[in-house]
Amino acid sequence: MKDKTEIVKNWLRGWCLSREVSFPVQYKSGFNVFVGDEKQKERYMFPELNEDFFQLARSINEPWVHLKVSTSPDQFMGSIPEKWQLQAQGYLMTCFRPMTFPEISLAEGYHLEFSEYNTTFVVRIVAENGEQASIGRVSLIDDVAVYDRIVTEINHQRKGLASFLLKELEKIALSKGFANNILVATEEGKLLYENLGWKVYALHSSIVIPA
């Protein structure tokens, strides 16, 4: 089993590949990524809650700089300036063996499309009318497969598309020799991943100062 810092760093490097931004640089006990988005200028990620996180929370006044830490918000929200807003809870999840899928086939009226960039592989599920129904990415780096931006559009949900998509992404990862899987899930996505054999490795808590 890797240690927490390595797991967080591997996930973040995969996230950067998927989002086409520069790799993280070390910042004290954590990592910094320049993202450059309007609502996410940069992000700091800390594997452990410590004084580095608290010092940063006290020193930043700029909006849209995200601070993230692998712990429960209860551990820090009462001890940082009130300008920070807690974001929706995320879950750092791992699956260090092949996922367990039910017997599934692609729902009728849909087809798959594949593309790639960097070492990121994209699978899309497209409806007959050409509408994108579901999309996801897997970035392969070091010895891990990092899954990112797995989305199924609302009017195409409840058809098993996300599970089928993940199976296709995993096939690509396994074909390249990658069997250690990492992702950050939302509350909604967490149950799907747990059903496929993923485990919550750590909470992924995020704060930001909105404009």
Side-chain angles (χ1 to χ4, degrees):
M1 185 69 168
K2 297 161 175 285
D3 76 358
K4 196 174 182 185
T5 299
E6 201 180 350
I7 285 180
V8 166
K9 184 181 181 181
N10 283 342
W11 168 74
L12 197 50
R13 281 163 62 85
W15 186 93
C16 290
L17 276 178
S18 167
R19 313 281 171 140
E20 299 183 272
V21 297
S22 297
F23 277 150
V25 293
Q26 191 82 36
Y27 174 85
K28 297 186 178 177
S29 60
F31 306 98
N32 171 244
V33 174
F34 178 77
V35 182
D37 283 352
E38 188 188 351
K39 295 205 170 175
Q40 184 169 187
K41 291 174 186 171
E42 54 185 317
R43 55 166 47 195
Y44 290 88
M45 178 78 217
F46 292 92
E48 304 289 348
L49 182 64
N50 58 28
E51 191 50 34
D52 297 343
F53 176 88
F54 287 112
Q55 277 178 358
L56 208 49
R58 288 193 294 266
S59 67
I60 292 174
N61 296 305
E62 197 185 347
W64 307 122
V65 175
H66 291 242
L67 296 192
K68 296 166 183 287
V69 60
S70 300
T71 192
S72 161
D74 310 345
Q75 302 294 309
F76 60 83
M77 280 311 284
S79 311
I80 58 172
E82 285 185 0
K83 61 193 172 189
W84 290 98
Q85 277 190 14
L86 185 63
Q87 304 298 287
Q89 186 64 58
Y91 300 89
L92 182 62
M93 302 185 75
T94 57
C95 185
F96 291 150
R97 55 182 179 71
M99 293 181 228
T100 47
F101 290 97
E103 281 298 313
I104 45 174
S105 52
L106 186 55
E108 208 175 319
Y110 292 93
H111 67 270
L112 294 172
E113 291 181 0
F114 300 89
S115 57
E116 63 182 270
Y117 55 91
N118 304 331
T119 51
T120 300
F121 297 83
V122 185
V123 176
R124 284 184 182 79
I125 299 179
V126 181
E128 279 173 328
N129 64 0
E131 190 173 273
Q132 180 176 293
S134 191
I135 187 170
R137 296 158 184 80
V138 63
S139 297
L140 307 178
I141 185 159
D142 301 325
D143 64 340
V144 298
V146 177
Y147 293 73
D148 187 41
R149 290 187 282 177
I150 313 289
V151 179
T152 302
E153 303 303 331
I154 286 175
N155 52 336
H156 296 281
Q157 289 175 359
R158 308 254 172 267
K159 297 178 180 177
L161 297 183
S163 295
F164 194 85
L165 184 87
L166 282 158
K167 193 174 188 175
E168 289 297 319
L169 288 170
E170 186 190 46
K171 265 191 217 166
I172 295 168
L174 290 172
S175 74
K176 313 267 182 204
F178 288 76
N180 294 327
N181 304 307
I182 306 179
L183 58 74
V184 167
T186 59
E187 192 71 58
E188 304 80 54
K190 175 173 165 276
L191 186 62
L192 165 70
Y193 300 119
E194 285 175 336
N195 287 337
L196 301 180
W198 292 71
K199 301 257 188 308
V200 174
Y201 179 78
L203 291 175
H204 179 82
S205 300
S206 186
I207 55 172
V208 71
I209 302 169

